[in-house]
Amino acid sequence: MQLTIDKRSVVARKGEYLLEVAQRNGIEIPALCHHPAVEPWGGCRLCMVEITHPDWKGWTGLVTACLYPVQDGLIVSTDTKKVHQVRAGVLDLLLARCPGSSLIQNLARQYGIEETSFTPRKAPDLCILCGLCIRICEKIGASAISSIGRGVEKLVSVPYETVATAACVGCLSCANICPTGAIAFSESEHCRTIWSRNFELVRCEECKAVIGTPEQLEHFARRSGLDRSYFTKCDSCRNREAAARFVRVTF
Amino acid sequence: MKQLFVTPNRCTACRNCEVACSFVHTSDPTVLAFPRVRAYAISENTNTVNLCLQCDDAACKKSCPVEALVWNAKTGALEVDLGRCIRCLMCTIACPFGNIHFDKRTNEIAKCDLCQGDPACAKFCPTLALEYAEKPSPDPKPGEVKPLPPIPWMLFTGKQSR
């Protein structure tokens, strides 16, 4: 089907969402809670766009691009005054929530906001509650973290805000995907700490490079159906070994 | 379909392929990408290169929790969709041949994508140990001197020769 985004005619398949189509065609729409690996969520409301249709008798609507399914003949505008106002409002609120985040500061500046017009949160952290970490943890099959509490007290944490349960495998996917870097972790010689839980580290049998945590390797071996013995050496050592084996086979 | 052939007895482990690979896979000219192909001097007279075998039943693909490894039907290569990838690094741990790496400098998964059907490693191999062709070229007979294919140095230096 055909639709128009910012006066450009683009092609889309049924079941796609506006944001995917726009990104594929190089049209930039800001989004914080979107990642192609997980289902769209519509949490950050930053990807708002204005839509209209020739059949709608001049009516327009403001929708989140990440959750709006494509429709034949739809006319999408990503840079109107209304869109600008809505996004600026969202960023104003986000800046009050996370005044210390450089990502939010830069985005807000693009929409003409230097300082938030609301009262900044007391003792702010960097979490914007976009839920990416929760969704990626679920996707991986661990579901170790979730949002806790409601309203102003809502936060992302492990059950009872204590130490990560056995569900957490210490893979760091949540920390790596976080757009604002809000999830803290540390790694020392023998130990990785995330969500207040200490994990042992499996190191390469030969070069001692970090491979992962035992729980992580167990979990992924089970999920992928691969043998656990795959996970004993790092990629570079295995590569060298495979090359030697390859030569023995060919000569 | 053209394939990438490795003939270890022609390899001198000169690592031209590694350099070529690093160059073509980097977007920032000041940061060299992690080479997808590695050359090894195994013993005194044996050298070889090791690179992704594009397995049909690939361990990396099986281990990926977000289906970020996708087949390119045109080249037959298994490619990483970096937009989808969540950098959990399971593919790098799962590959039994260690042919998929994590590049810390570019924050990307480094995996051979056959350069979209035009592999730079084969172009820069001076001894035809790496060839991208329908079938590998025959070894020269004893005493026969074969002219080697020209290496496109100008890709790197801007000049026709070294």
Side-chain angles (χ1 to χ4, degrees), chain A residues 29-217:
Chain A
I29 297 174
L32 288 169
C33 73
H34 180 77
H35 195 284
V38 288
E39 291 288 305
W41 207 47
C44 70
R45 319 306 284 182
L46 209 58
C47 63
M48 290 294 243
V49 289
E50 199 171 349
I51 53 165
T52 186
H53 194 277
D55 300 346
W56 292 0
K57 300 179 182 133
W59 285 90
T60 64
L62 280 167
V63 295
T64 47
C66 66
L67 276 176
Y68 199 83
V70 289
Q71 193 183 334
D72 201 31
L74 204 67
I75 301 161
V76 184
S77 318
T78 69
D79 201 17
T80 63
K81 204 179 159 198
K82 255 190 202 167
V83 168
H84 201 277
Q85 271 176 353
V86 160
R87 287 186 192 162
V90 170
L91 285 163
D92 198 357
L93 284 162
L94 281 176
L95 200 58
R97 182 176 169 83
C98 304
S101 164
S102 55
L103 176 78
I104 303 295
Q105 284 167 4
N106 289 339
L107 268 171
R109 208 165 291 135
Q110 283 174 31
Y111 285 82
I113 302 164
E114 289 292 332
E115 242 171 88
T116 177
S117 58
F118 299 95
T119 315
R121 192 157 56 123
K122 285 189 192 88
D125 55 14
L126 291 172
C127 177
I128 55 167
L129 293 175
C130 70
L132 260 181
C133 51
I134 301 169
R135 285 176 288 152
I136 213 72
C137 191
E138 194 186 334
K139 183 91 190 176
I140 276 170
S143 295
I145 49 174
S146 185
S147 67
I148 289 178
R150 288 182 189 181
V152 290
E153 286 172 2
K154 187 170 171 174
L155 77 148
V156 173
S157 187
V158 290
Y160 306 107
E161 281 183 62
T162 52
V163 184
T165 56
C168 179
V169 294
C171 66
L172 303 187
S173 290
C174 53
N176 287 337
I177 205 163
C178 179
T180 55
I183 299 172
F185 68 94
S186 65
E187 207 168 270
S188 63
E189 204 176 325
H190 301 291
C191 181
R192 179 188 284 173
T193 310
I194 186 161
W195 296 115
S196 318
R197 179 165 158 206
N198 295 330
F199 289 92
E200 237 179 89
L201 282 178
V202 178
R203 282 174 181 270
C204 170
E205 282 175 359
E206 272 174 50
C207 72
K208 308 287 174 231
V210 174
I211 302 178
T213 69
E215 291 87 348
Q216 178 189 3
L217 302 183

Side-chain angles (χ1 to χ4, degrees), chain B residues 18-159:
Chain B
E18 288 189 19
V19 178
C21 186
S22 288
F23 265 99
V24 296
H25 284 103
T26 185
S27 43
D28 175 0
T30 60
V31 184
L32 271 183
F34 197 94
R36 279 78 169 143
V37 52
R38 304 303 300 272
Y40 295 102
I42 305 286
S43 63
E44 206 176 323
N45 291 318
T46 40
N47 309 305
T48 189
V49 289
N50 193 3
L51 78 170
C52 179
L53 306 175
Q54 319 288 357
C55 315
D56 281 343
D57 188 20
C60 55
K61 190 172 163 53
K62 274 202 269 180
S63 72
C64 182
V66 294
E67 295 95 43
L69 284 139
V70 279
W71 289 106
N72 181 331
K74 213 180 84 218
T75 59
L78 189 57
E79 294 174 3
V80 185
D81 181 347
L82 285 168
R84 261 187 109 79
C85 172
I86 55 165
R87 276 70 167 169
C88 70
L89 313 192
M90 284 322 294
C91 52
T92 70
I93 306 171
C95 175
F97 310 103
N99 272 321
I100 180 160
H101 309 273
F102 178 60
D103 191 342
K104 278 194 187 115
R105 286 171 296 190
T106 57
N107 190 32
E108 284 173 1
I109 295 292
K111 186 196 171 299
C112 174
D113 56 356
L114 293 176
C115 299
Q116 310 299 327
D118 188 22
C121 52
K123 268 196 272 182
F124 281 82
C125 179
T127 59
L128 293 177
L130 273 165
E131 291 170 286
Y132 193 60
E134 299 285 340
K135 57 177 198 234
S137 59
D139 280 338
K141 293 182 193 79
E144 183 191 0
V145 178
K146 264 192 176 174
L148 290 164
I151 288 181
W153 294 110
M154 56 176 302
L155 271 183
F156 294 159
T157 60
K159 286 182 251 164

